[in-house]
Amino acid sequence: MAIVSMTVNGKPVTADIDPRTLLVQFLREHLRLTGTHVGCDTSQCGACVVHMNGAAVKACTVLALQADGGDVVTIEGLANGAELHPMQAAFREHHGLQCGYCTPGMIMTAVDMANRLGPDLSEETIRSELEGNICRCTGYHNIVRAVESGARAMAGQPMREAAE
Amino acid sequence: MYAFDYHKPTSLRQAASMLAKAEDAKILAGGHTLLPTMKQRLAAPSSLIDLGALAELQGIERKGRSVVVGAMTTHAAVASSDVVREAIPGLAEMAEMIGDPAVRTRGTIGGSVANNDPAADYPAACLALAATITTNKRKIEADDFFRGMFDTALEEGEIITKVSFPVPAKAAYAKFRNPASRYALAGVFVAKRGSEIRVAVTGAGADGVFRWTAAEEALKTRFSAKSLAGMAADASMMNSDIHADAEYRAHLVGVMARRAVEAATTR
Ligand SMILES: Cc1cc2nc3c(=O)[nH]c(=O)nc-3n(C[C@H](O)[C@H](O)[C@H](O)COP(=O)(O)OP(=O)(O)OC[C@H]3O[C@@H](n4cnc5c(N)ncnc54)[C@H](O)[C@@H]3O)c2cc1C
Ligand code: FES
Ligand code: FES
């Protein structure tokens, strides 16, 4: 066993874990933060994306011990109380989800994308940045719209309404 | 995944001594090759020595006529580095083509070079740019380092500390991705430095990364995509699998080489 400490969604956590524990297992099974999903467990699908020290990572391919001393943000850490994060609101407005399984990872990737690349994201950029996030339901069209609009909203620009 | 002990040394010396002491220990860098392999139980090291806390293995700097990249530098850091973008834009573009953003956040140059996956991108860049791989014991030229798929000149317990790339006059990388894995079905890195021209191919060869000498010869007459018109690699030397057969890979190598030269000459 080994002691791990990190900050998760702003709160310090410490636990005694098996070194094999993946970050995603630590979040889901030890901290009961089950918003982060496991779709493939083979680093392909992006359902497990969280932010570690400010950048998007696939939590199924990081040991919890590698995050020791770090700062982790999960989908649960985005909203401000009852108020959704602008990217979450954009996914709702643009219906950027169907079953919702891929959504936490999509949103964490999208927020990271906007943080790195700014509010004006072209469709081409969004699609190439979403390379590591797989959705079995939507066909991506509405996800791309949501990311585009969410990135603008994060910069304080008004959210575009979805076409009905 | 089988159980292992985990260690996070704080100096290179400590890492080397841990590696030497523990039986069947493995280095952990970004973990984006090693952890998936351990999950599949294809690797079962008794201990992992995590290099994540070694600041001395981080960072990118211009040193005279070379760009020096620390072994623990991530693909994302190379892709967005001003130093790399200015001196060897083709190298930054190559790093940007690896996997996806989350993979680039964690994967490192040292891990990629040590692993020498036959479809990985860095081996082609190192070979074409005539890089020098420095370890805690010695310096190894790229030509001597890569020894066929998943095989390198690294000895037991040897740790890559940095990779130095001499700055070329012109260089570029073109990659045809496997649409599912995003690794190269065929990737070609071309570089021209003085009168030396090097063309390195990844993803396609039956035994990992290699230099395509016929293309290098052809480019000596004139460094132009036209010099490679109609050329394809030797299909008998290519890998063949469910993703692409040898003939197709041989053809792709020609196409990617022309695209890379085109990109290198039109910057
Ligand atoms: C979904 C996905 C897509 C990918 N797509 C691509 C792609 O398109 N192109 C590509 O090139 N790669 C790709 N990769 C691989 C990725 O770039 C890996 O990160 C990289 O190959 C290994 O680097 P790492 O830091 O993760 O190493 P690790 O997995 O930590 O280590 C790999 C091996 O190298 C050894 N090692 C690590 N560092 C050192 C060192 N400093 N000295 C000596 N030995 C060392 C380890 O012991 C281990 O055996 C992909 C990976 C994933 C998961
Ligand atoms: S669960 Fe991590 S990438 Fe699919
Ligand atoms: S909404 Fe179902 S997987 Fe994306």
Side-chain angles (χ1 to χ4, degrees):
Chain A
M1 301 297 275
I3 303 288
V4 68
S5 303
M6 65 183 90
T7 305
V8 177
N9 298 332
K11 293 195 197 82
V13 293
T14 297
D16 193 5
I17 56 168
D18 182 325
R20 282 181 282 187
T21 311
L22 299 167
L23 179 58
V24 73
Q25 287 172 319
F26 182 66
L27 295 169
R28 288 178 55 85
E29 294 165 24
H30 293 246
L31 304 181
R32 300 284 171 196
L33 292 170
T34 52
T36 303
H37 294 165
V38 178
C40 65
D41 200 26
T42 56
S43 329
Q44 314 291 325
C45 76
C48 64
V49 170
V50 301
H51 295 179
M52 178 170 147
N53 304 327
V57 300
K58 289 178 167 172
C60 74
T61 315
V62 177
L63 296 174
L65 284 168
Q66 287 179 290
D68 188 53
D71 184 15
V72 172
V73 178
T74 70
I75 188 75
E76 289 91 344
L78 284 188
N80 181 7
E83 189 194 333
L84 292 181
H85 182 281
M87 192 59 78
Q88 291 175 306
F91 269 70
R92 179 167 70 182
E93 173 65 21
H94 292 271
H95 198 55
L97 61 145
Q98 287 178 20
C99 79
Y101 201 88
C102 69
T103 314
M106 287 285 177
I107 290 178
M108 297 313 284
T109 298
V111 171
D112 174 64
M113 193 189 312
N115 286 342
R116 277 184 295 116
L117 305 173
D120 295 311
L121 301 172
S122 70
E123 173 170 351
E124 194 191 347
T125 302
I126 295 169
R127 286 185 184 272
S128 101
E129 287 280 322
L130 288 179
E131 188 104 56
N133 291 77
I134 294 173
C135 176
R136 290 295 306 266
C137 302
T138 64
Y140 302 97
H141 184 83
N142 287 358
I143 293 177
V144 174
R145 289 288 157 274
V147 175
E148 196 181 7
S149 165
R152 286 211 194 90
M154 278 171 64
Q157 298 169 23
M159 173 103 54
R160 249 213 337 245
E161 277 178 31
E164 282 309 320
Chain B
M1 213 188 281
Y2 290 108
F4 54 83
D5 298 328
Y6 174 90
H7 306 277
K8 200 174 207 170
T10 49
S11 74
L12 186 60
R13 185 182 296 228
Q14 197 187 10
S17 87
M18 283 175 169
L19 205 52
K21 259 188 240 141
E23 202 178 315
D24 206 13
K26 252 189 174 317
I27 292 169
L28 177 66
H32 271 52
T33 293
L34 187 53
L35 294 176
T37 316
M38 287 169 63
K39 285 184 189 179
Q40 290 176 295
R41 298 187 169 180
L42 295 172
S46 60
S47 0
L48 288 185
I49 317 290
D50 185 352
L51 302 185
L54 302 189
E56 59 205 288
L57 301 192
Q58 294 279 355
I60 300 168
E61 59 177 335
R62 173 88 190 228
K63 269 203 174 150
R65 291 185 188 169
S66 295
V67 170
V68 183
V69 183
M72 286 298 288
T73 309
T74 63
H75 308 328
V78 171
S80 63
S81 155
D82 290 338
V83 173
V84 181
R85 290 231 163 244
E86 199 204 306
I88 323 179
L91 185 63
E93 288 159 13
M94 182 233 77
E96 183 101 56
M97 288 183 220
I98 297 176
D100 57 59
V103 168
R104 296 195 286 273
T105 301
R106 297 294 300 162
T108 67
I109 183 171
S112 181
V113 169
N115 194 49
N116 193 17
D117 187 298
D121 302 301
Y122 263 118
C126 291
L127 202 52
L129 292 166
T132 301
I133 290 103
T134 304
T135 73
N136 56 336
K137 298 195 174 134
R138 60 193 166 133
K139 288 180 192 296
I140 312 167
E141 300 301 323
D143 279 318
D144 304 322
F145 184 86
F146 300 103
R147 296 208 175 145
M149 60 166 93
F150 298 114
D151 193 12
T152 68
L154 287 177
E155 282 161 12
E156 210 56 39
E158 203 168 358
I159 304 172
I160 299 177
T161 55
K162 59 190 177 190
V163 183
S164 324
F165 298 92
V167 176
K170 294 185 165 119
Y173 182 58
K175 171 179 180 180
F176 192 94
R177 293 171 159 211
N178 175 327
S181 78
R182 305 182 281 275
Y183 276 90
L185 262 188
V188 180
F189 206 112
V190 298
K192 181 179 190 317
R193 190 166 54 107
S195 59
E196 193 185 16
I197 290 166
R198 296 165 70 104
V199 179
V201 179
T202 188
D207 195 27
V209 68
F210 68 95
R211 278 175 69 184
W212 187 19
T213 46
E216 292 177 355
E217 282 305 316
L219 288 168
K220 273 188 190 139
T221 331
R222 197 154 75 92
F223 192 75
S224 150
K226 286 205 184 80
S227 305
L228 302 178
M231 281 180 74
D234 178 355
S236 72
M237 310 272 288
M238 296 299 112
N239 180 21
S240 201
D241 58 22
I242 55 162
H243 307 294
D245 65 17
E247 291 286 336
Y248 181 50
R249 278 196 165 86
H251 170 75
L252 278 180
V253 169
V255 177
M256 291 304 115
R258 286 188 286 279
R259 282 189 195 166
V261 175
E262 188 74 37
T265 48
T266 53
R267 271 193 218 289

